[in-house]
Amino acid sequence: MSVPTFDLTKPRYDQTTYKGRFLRMINLVNPSTLFITKSELKNYMKLLDDYKNGKIDKNVTDAELWAARNIKESMVHPDTGDIIPRPFRMSGFIPYGTPVVVFMLCATTLPTVIAGQFFNQSHNALFNYFNRNASNNTESNSQFIQSFLLAVTSAIGIGVSLNILINKSTFAPATKAIIQRFTVFPAVAYANICNIFFMRRSELKEGIHIKDKDDNIIGSSKIAAKSAIFETAITRVCLSIPILLFPPICMGLLQKYTSLLTTIPRANVIFQTIFSTIGFAIGLPVTTAFFPQDSKIKIEELEPQFHPLKTDNNPVDYLYYNKGL
């Protein structure tokens, strides 16, 4: 595949198409970027700064520049410029998230269900925080802690409530075991929505920055914040489908048609890990490509102060915002 001419302001792949967003996400979720050190990142960022200032070495290729930009985008928050901790990057979602998901899917007792929901939603809450839209961030440390506790406790409450309902039901033990495998999905899906709301509620209160096509900040919008959080929530619910429904289906088929789960020591954990990793690897780029990270919104859909809007006496139809991941 030929490498396009490097552009610092435009994405390598067309973000108006699903294919372009999918290819971008494939690069962002690549776990190999987790091994990039801070000093290496600094060199990549210097390379991009040199290009921006017209000081680039003529021997530097477009492929090297695109690679440097991808590494920066996978490690650095676009609004704050801070380095995102490894477990909470898109590239860290699979290696750090899979063990937690396996633990949740294998949980059968109330204490393990609580522990599984706690670890999962703690990871989700911090992921939501580090990948939020932080363009207009005014949240204090105490507000962050409050949001974190609300997100995690609400999620645990949902998961535990479903577990208790199943245990108190009159279903046969075998039927309960089957139902138990699939209740993780609705519990986590609903909990993820609560998690996103609590961890990003400051955006709803303060609004997020909206920009024109030239990246100039026009103002802050609560309506754009609602759209950003809604799009993120839809993505997370859809992401839960391959991660939390694919493994139970495969495990059920293994149990029905083979004796592997009874003849191989720790087979349950082994196969749960395999199926969860496959679900993560396929589901993450597929679902996160549903919406562009830099989404656009019609002027008419924004607050009254933004319409009508003109630049250089030309009417503006759309403004743009970072929806977060």
Side-chain angles (χ1 to χ4, degrees), residues 6 8 45-57 65:
F6 181 74
L8 192 59
M45 293 179 70
K46 182 180 183 302
L47 182 64
L48 296 173
D49 287 338
D50 288 345
Y51 174 87
K52 182 179 181 179
N53 297 322
K55 300 177 182 179
I56 195 70
D57 190 313
L65 288 167

Side-chain angles (χ1 to χ4, degrees), residues 89-260:
R89 299 175 193 167
M90 287 300 294
S91 55
F93 211 89
I94 297 174
Y96 287 95
T98 298
V100 177
V101 169
V102 172
F103 183 87
M104 272 199 311
L105 291 173
C106 292
T108 54
T109 64
L110 187 58
T112 56
V113 168
I114 293 174
Q117 289 290 344
F118 174 78
F119 291 133
N120 183 57
Q121 293 304 328
S122 295
H123 180 257
N124 285 346
L126 292 171
F127 183 90
N128 291 333
Y129 176 78
F130 282 108
N131 291 278
R132 72 200 186 285
N133 180 305
S135 60
N136 199 24
N137 184 42
T138 59
E139 190 174 43
S140 65
N141 289 336
S142 61
Q143 288 173 318
F144 164 73
I145 293 171
Q146 183 186 51
S147 297
F148 175 81
L149 292 175
L150 284 169
V152 175
T153 52
S154 65
I156 292 174
I158 294 165
V160 170
S161 297
L162 280 175
N163 183 264
I164 292 174
L165 285 174
I166 294 168
N167 288 334
K168 288 186 176 181
S169 67
T170 57
F171 293 119
T175 305
K176 285 184 180 181
I178 294 173
I179 295 174
Q180 191 90 44
R181 290 176 183 168
F182 291 93
T183 54
V184 176
F185 168 69
V188 170
Y190 185 73
N192 282 348
I193 295 174
C194 296
N195 200 317
I196 291 168
F197 170 76
F198 284 124
M199 292 307 297
R200 297 181 60 175
R201 60 180 178 158
S202 64
E203 297 173 36
L204 296 172
K205 181 180 178 181
E206 306 293 337
I208 59 176
H209 285 169
I210 48 176
K211 304 177 181 180
D212 62 17
K213 61 182 178 62
D214 296 317
D215 214 32
N216 299 309
I217 297 174
I218 304 300
S220 294
S221 169
K222 295 180 182 179
I223 292 176
K226 290 179 183 178
S227 180
I229 291 173
F230 175 77
E231 290 173 352
T232 304
I234 291 295
T235 298
R236 294 299 174 76
V237 171
C238 292
L239 176 59
S240 298
I241 295 173
I243 294 175
L244 299 174
L245 288 185
F246 176 69
I249 291 172
C250 293
M251 294 297 287
L253 293 174
L254 273 180
Q255 187 174 11
K256 184 176 181 179
Y257 296 107
T258 74
S259 59
L260 293 175

Side-chain angles (χ1 to χ4, degrees), residues 286-321:
V286 167
T287 57
T288 49
F290 285 165
F291 303 99
Q293 183 170 357
D294 291 317
S295 294
K296 66 179 182 179
I297 187 169
K298 290 182 179 179
I299 287 290
E300 310 89 73
E301 297 175 2
L302 292 168
E303 290 86 344
Q305 67 263 32
F306 295 112
H307 48 85
L309 185 67
K310 293 184 178 181
T311 56
D312 299 328
N313 292 322
N314 295 317
V316 176
D317 296 321
Y318 292 94
L319 290 176
Y320 302 85
Y321 59 90

Side-chain angles (χ1 to χ4, degrees), residues 268-280:
N268 188 44
V269 174
I270 294 171
F271 286 107
Q272 289 279 23
T273 302
I274 292 172
F275 296 139
S276 295
T277 303
I278 293 172
F280 252 125

